[in-house]
Amino acid sequence: MAGTRFSVTFDGRAHQLQPSGGQIILPTQGSKIHHDPGCTHLTDPQNLDRHPDRDGLTWRRLLDADDPASWAHSAGLRNRRGRPLTGVCSCALRPVAADHADALPYWPLDQALDAFDVERHREALEAADRRAEEIRRAFPLESWPTLPLERYALGVHKTRQDLPPTYCHALEYGSGELGSITGGSAKKHLIYCRDGGRWWHDSGYPDAPAAWSAVRSGIVEAVTAAREGRVRDIDDIVAVRAANTLIAKTLRIYAPDAIVPVYADSYTRHYLSMLTTDVPARMRPFARKEYLRLLVGQHPRLKDWPPHLVYRFLAWWAPPRVAPRVFAMGLDANADLELDCLTEGYAAVGFDELGDLHDFADKEEFTRAVRSRVTTGNTAHAHDVWRLLEMRPGDRIVGHLSADRIIAVGRVTGDGYAWRPARRERRHTVTVEWDTSFQVTFDRPVPGWGADRIAEVKPAAWTKLKQLRAEEPSSPTAGEAGAGAGLDAEGVADAPVPQPLDPEPLPLDPELQRLDDALTRRGQAILYGPPGTGKTYQALRYAVQRIGGQSDDLPGLSPGAEPESAEYHATVKALQDAGRLTLVTFHPSYGYEDFVEGLRPVKGQAGLALDVRPGVFRQVCDRAAEDPDHTYLVVVDEFNRGNVPKVLGELITLLEKDKRGLPVTLPLSEQQFAVPRNVLLLGTMNTADRSIRMLDSAVRRRFAFVELLPDSRPLYGFNVDVLDLGVFLEALNGRIRRLLDREKQLGHAFLMPGGEPVSTAAEFAAIVRDEIVPLLQEYAYDDYGLLTAFLGEAVVDPVNHCLRDLDDESFVYALHSELRAGTDAEPA
């Protein structure tokens, strides 16, 4: 195979590109192009057809084609059965770990420019320019010095229904053609109207008029600076310093040539790093934007492009890695409403009494509205509606008619959320590009899925969906299910099929994604939180999903397996056997010689002798150095119970991301040792004893700390007799927070033995008596007055210092009565 391997970001994931070397390999059967004649997916490797790939860009043009089958026909890309090749095999484009991708050179800019089809983006550019002109007409720049606050701010329509859309509403919700700044709270607009006509603004201003005067002047000053070529001066405008995305999008409207319209500073940093290694130190946000515009203006092939076209190219060539989230949404069984969703391209949920989500300034205001407006049904489900605003283009939607019947899978597109008042019901919608070839039925309902529900799709359900779809006779096989997915079967297509929406990559849920981001950023992280929050559980879930998902060379792995299942435990064992997952527990006797290296007695000719033996972590690093294509994870349970500085030794320096690969000489063996970039270290730590504060400061500085707090959401709607588990835990933790502190709360895992909510009075009573009460006694230092304040006199006898003698059912009813944990309660 010819050519250097490259890193490519595609569909939010890091991939390794193996160039074709000038020839595409055509399979005998199946629907993917290949770059490697030795690929194990090829069914007849001794008798292969080839197709010229002179510029090496066929793979990208195929991925970008609106109709891959038609494009493949026109390009002559067919298998021996004459079927079009509509996908790219993993031998050409393979998903890899982020650390592995970072060690490769990125796909060259000049090659990307050769493959980029400018004409495909003309219509989008024209739409963006038209929208900018519409906003300029509605809000002329010359009117800004006297623009009323009611024409600017979000939330004013709560008290002034007669007003046209405000500037902030146009920027956040009405101008997707210009790029998105949605997400987060309304605070990025610097001033907005809250419930009851109250104004939110920086507390440094005495009132709303003073705040608006400063903000308005700051916006005008920023536009003026940009028009005069002084973009970096915007960093010095104090009044708008907290509104970088708002100001950047405002420049796209009023000074369109001043910057490349990359709004988020993190994205600006990313694109700068793709274009140059020579970024001046300590640059501020708008200085970075100015520098990006300068680099583009100096590039011989980009300098004459409109800045918005440059942005579209950068987002196509080297988008930041943001793994998509996957949600399940129930589609209405009503025939015409279902038809609307699938044909017009959206998914919908109810709770219409909440009104347009755009009218809420932030989630706090939305939560208050749920409590006051939703009077029927389970209000816990109403809280899920806010997820529609959090969805981003590229997120996946699994559309189902029931908890076991899926009729389509789609991608969120455009602006995402839209309020559709013309619908007679279920007016909360999100724009979706559907693929209706995903029509499968599970063997049993998926917990948490239902009508008017928006649920995170767990990896097991996502994997099951992929497997069932591959088994459908009328649907494409696993080998045909899209480009770059790294699936492990080529499959046979008896008839041309459209390019399907690929159910890969296996997504991480938000908690695991946050952990993955921390480990990618720092190389080592600590999961910390109160007891029962599932720290070790989450660490192993991460290992199974992320490390297992990147170990496609190991047989028998099930990265999407449900925790505690046989497949899950088999995956953990397979990763351990391969050395890619190592589990360690620190304790007071654990030392440097166990973890790095130490002297061990060995038998010699003269009896016992001392020999230097590598410790657990050094052995992992040695294996990882010989296998840079895979990630190795070390999980250290009870991290704080060891003498951490003594255990780590030189690792305190070598673990740092910028010191990875830097060799040092170990004092005992006098050998060179370095920590490879593909080794991750993940610790767990209980905070009930305030252990983070006891960690050595040098250790704290080198780790990312990811907190896990109690999460009542998986328990809401699960009852033990009259007692709702979610409300019980939330109420009990509320008392603990009030009477003690947040670190001593109780985690949801106490009530989820085996990963499922407890269901019987006997089981619940045993958990409370034998696990929760002893912990509360420890917290209360056997103060039974305090214990009574936690659980109530119906459960605790404060005089005789004991629990009252109640049978299991009476025990449940007593706690229900004390904590008001009825099914009509709602989450905080």
Side-chain angles (χ1 to χ4, degrees):
M1 296 175 65
T4 303
R5 293 179 299 173
F6 295 109
S7 170
V8 174
T9 300
F10 178 74
D11 210 16
R13 289 190 71 185
H15 288 72
Q16 175 186 284
L17 170 65
Q18 175 64 57
S20 67
Q23 288 188 324
I24 296 294
I25 310 299
L26 306 180
T28 301
Q29 57 191 20
S31 63
K32 293 184 178 182
I33 65 171
H34 296 257
H35 288 181
D36 181 4
C39 179
T40 57
H41 295 161
L42 292 167
T43 55
D44 189 10
Q46 304 303 318
N47 188 19
L48 298 172
D49 296 330
R50 288 171 167 81
H51 187 277
D53 184 29
R54 294 180 179 86
D55 61 4
L57 296 173
T58 300
W59 67 275
R60 185 74 224 205
R61 295 189 177 104
L62 180 58
L63 293 179
D64 287 342
D66 293 327
D67 184 347
S70 296
W71 190 89
H73 270 301
S74 65
L77 296 174
R78 304 180 184 88
N79 65 20
R80 285 199 178 173
R81 298 187 176 190
R83 308 309 185 197
L85 303 180
T86 56
V88 180
C89 182
S90 58
C91 72
L93 195 65
R94 179 169 70 91
V96 294
D99 280 352
H100 174 64
D102 289 343
L104 299 174
Y106 205 78
W107 179 36
L109 175 60
D110 285 339
Q111 285 191 22
L113 285 166
D114 289 341
F116 186 67
D117 186 353
V118 172
E119 292 305 314
R120 292 187 66 205
H121 296 265
R122 291 287 184 203
E123 185 177 345
L125 288 177
E126 292 169 359
D129 288 339
R130 286 195 301 270
R131 187 68 186 112
E133 176 59 28
E134 291 171 2
I135 296 176
R136 285 194 295 269
R137 286 199 302 267
F139 303 91
L141 184 59
E142 57 270 19
S143 72
W144 270 86
T146 58
L147 187 73
L149 177 55
E150 290 75 13
R151 291 287 288 125
Y152 170 83
L154 289 176
V156 297
H157 289 91
K158 298 167 189 173
T159 56
R160 291 286 306 277
Q161 301 289 333
D162 57 310
L163 291 174
T166 65
Y167 180 75
C168 289
H169 190 279
L171 247 63
E172 182 142 11
Y173 304 119
S175 55
E177 306 92 333
L178 301 176
S180 174
I181 61 170
T182 59
S185 76
K187 292 180 175 63
K188 62 176 172 283
H189 296 289
L190 301 176
I191 182 169
Y192 62 90
C193 187
R194 304 192 66 156
D195 285 340
R198 298 177 296 113
W199 290 101
W200 182 92
H201 54 78
D202 190 306
S203 59
Y205 299 109
D207 51 34
W212 172 231
S213 177
V215 168
R216 181 176 57 194
S217 296
I219 292 174
V220 173
E221 186 180 350
V223 173
T224 301
R227 287 186 159 194
E228 294 176 355
R230 299 181 290 107
V231 171
R232 66 175 53 239
D233 289 353
I234 297 173
D235 289 314
D236 294 320
I237 304 174
V238 176
V240 295
R241 193 171 285 164
N244 287 340
T245 57
L246 173 109
I247 295 300
K249 193 165 183 177
T250 295
L251 297 188
R252 170 62 182 89
I253 295 166
Y254 295 104
D257 292 328
I259 65 169
V260 177
V262 179
Y263 304 139
D265 187 50
S266 60
Y267 279 39
T268 306
R269 289 173 182 266
H270 169 73
Y271 291 129
L272 277 175
S273 71
M274 300 307 302
L275 293 175
T276 181
T277 57
D278 185 23
V279 179
R282 302 179 64 82
M283 295 184 77
R284 293 186 292 174
F286 281 93
R288 270 189 288 272
K289 295 185 190 302
E290 183 179 272
Y291 190 59
L292 177 61
R293 184 69 180 93
L294 175 66
L295 289 178
V296 168
Q298 293 174 342
H299 192 279
R301 298 181 65 178
L302 294 174
K303 63 182 181 180
D304 296 325
W305 287 17
H308 201 102
L309 179 60
V310 174
Y311 161 70
R312 292 186 69 87
F313 167 73
L314 293 175
W316 170 89
W317 168 52
R321 295 171 191 149
V322 181
R325 297 171 66 183
V326 183
F327 302 89
M329 293 182 62
L331 301 181
D332 199 295
N334 182 299
D336 58 342
L337 286 178
E338 175 191 331
L339 185 63
D340 286 347
C341 287
L342 296 180
T343 59
E344 296 182 20
Y346 57 86
V349 295
F351 299 102
D352 296 343
E353 60 268 38
L354 291 170
D356 191 345
L357 298 184
H358 292 152
D359 290 339
F360 298 107
D362 51 31
K363 189 173 182 179
E364 179 184 346
E365 191 174 294
F366 167 79
T367 300
R368 290 197 297 269
V370 170
R371 290 170 175 166
S372 62
R373 299 181 194 177
V374 179
T375 56
T376 59
N378 191 334
T379 57
H381 300 170
H383 286 270
D384 290 343
V385 176
W386 188 257
R387 284 177 165 171
L388 295 174
L389 277 184
E390 298 172 346
M391 294 179 184
R392 295 291 174 267
D395 286 346
R396 272 61 158 179
I397 303 294
V398 175
H400 57 84
L401 288 184
S402 60
D404 58 356
R405 182 187 170 197
I406 296 163
I407 62 169
V409 172
R411 279 189 177 94
V412 176
T413 62
D415 285 336
Y417 173 75
W419 171 252
R420 298 177 188 263
R423 283 172 60 89
R424 67 175 182 269
E425 59 180 312
R426 295 168 61 84
R427 299 184 179 100
H428 295 289
T429 71
V430 62
T431 309
V432 180
E433 181 182 85
W434 290 112
D435 179 351
T436 54
S437 68
F438 285 83
Q439 298 195 10
V440 299
T441 301
F442 287 172
D443 53 359
R444 59 179 179 273
V446 179
W449 290 18
D452 283 336
R453 296 295 308 272
I454 304 174
E456 293 270 0
V457 176
K458 294 183 178 180
W462 190 242
T463 301
K464 184 68 173 177
L465 167 61
K466 179 187 69 177
Q467 292 171 342
L468 288 175
R469 182 177 181 277
E471 294 167 2
E472 289 289 331
S474 60
S475 70
T477 64
E480 297 165 328
L487 303 181
D488 52 10
E490 178 60 38
V492 179
D494 290 328
V497 294
Q499 177 75 350
L501 178 66
D502 181 12
E504 293 286 351
L506 188 69
L508 294 175
D509 61 40
E511 283 185 346
L512 293 189
Q513 187 60 56
R514 182 182 169 209
L515 176 59
D516 187 57
D517 292 342
L519 286 168
T520 300
R521 185 174 65 251
R522 298 299 300 272
Q524 50 277 338
I526 299 292
L527 276 172
Y528 73 101
T533 48
K535 296 175 286 295
T536 305
Y537 170 83
Q538 294 289 54
L540 289 179
R541 282 185 65 222
Y542 177 80
V544 168
Q545 290 187 37
R546 178 55 85 225
I547 311 303
Q550 295 169 354
S551 299
D552 51 6
D553 60 317
L554 299 179
L557 297 189
S558 301
E562 285 284 3
E564 306 305 324
S565 66
E567 294 84 0
Y568 177 86
H569 290 298
T571 300
V572 170
K573 185 177 186 304
L575 292 173
Q576 288 181 289
D577 291 345
R580 295 180 192 167
L581 170 64
T582 301
L583 305 180
V584 177
T585 300
F586 280 2
H587 50 78
S589 297
Y590 202 89
Y592 177 89
E593 61 277 10
D594 302 300
F595 204 57
V596 183
E597 67 173 18
L599 296 172
R600 298 292 186 190
V602 294
K603 288 185 178 181
Q605 293 181 349
L608 290 178
L610 292 177
D611 190 17
V612 178
R613 294 295 177 89
V616 171
F617 190 74
R618 184 183 158 190
Q619 293 178 50
V620 172
C621 290
D622 290 343
R623 285 194 298 267
E626 297 173 358
D627 182 21
D629 287 353
H630 295 99
T631 301
Y632 285 70
L633 175 66
V634 178
V635 175
V636 179
D637 211 12
E638 302 288 355
F639 187 82
N640 55 304
R641 291 192 64 230
N643 185 340
V644 177
K646 181 179 178 181
V647 172
L648 296 183
E650 298 88 355
L651 297 182
I652 287 182
T653 296
L654 299 183
L655 285 172
E656 291 191 75
K657 202 66 181 287
D658 61 350
K659 305 296 190 306
R660 293 295 181 99
L662 178 68
V664 299
T665 302
L666 295 175
L668 287 177
S669 64
E670 298 183 349
Q671 293 182 358
Q672 293 281 295
F673 171 70
V675 179
R677 293 176 61 86
N678 59 325
V679 172
L680 303 178
L681 179 61
L682 176 59
T684 68
M685 182 182 298
N686 196 325
T687 56
D689 57 0
R690 301 183 181 273
S691 52
I692 283 185
R693 301 176 190 178
M694 299 169 62
L695 273 182
D696 181 86
S697 60
V699 174
R700 289 203 306 269
R701 288 195 304 270
R702 286 162 171 83
F703 282 77
F705 285 82
V706 179
E707 185 175 32
L708 291 182
L709 288 173
D711 184 4
S712 303
R713 289 174 299 176
L715 297 169
Y716 278 106
F718 289 92
N719 284 58
V720 173
D721 294 340
V722 296
L723 182 143
D724 183 289
L725 294 175
V727 180
F728 164 77
L729 185 63
E730 191 66 39
L732 180 56
N733 278 333
R735 294 187 177 189
I736 293 172
R737 289 193 300 271
R738 187 176 67 254
L739 299 172
L740 295 174
D741 56 60
R742 66 195 293 274
E743 281 75 22
K744 291 184 171 58
Q745 296 178 86
L746 301 176
H748 46 281
F750 280 105
L751 301 176
M752 299 180 68
E756 293 295 328
V758 63
S759 59
T760 67
E763 196 175 12
F764 173 80
I767 290 171
V768 174
R769 290 188 184 114
D770 302 341
E771 300 176 36
I772 292 178
V773 168
L775 193 58
L776 293 177
Q777 286 175 314
E778 179 184 340
Y779 291 164
Y781 296 100
D782 287 327
D783 178 350
Y784 273 76
L786 183 55
L787 191 62
T788 302
F790 291 142
L791 300 174
E793 286 198 28
V795 174
V796 179
D797 183 346
V799 176
N800 296 310
H801 289 198
C802 63
L803 296 183
R804 297 194 186 277
D805 187 14
L806 302 173
D807 61 61
D808 293 340
E809 289 187 359
S810 299
F811 189 76
V812 170
Y813 272 84
L815 286 173
H816 161 74
S817 237
E818 170 66 24
L819 296 169
R820 299 179 182 177
T823 55
D824 59 341
E826 63 182 74

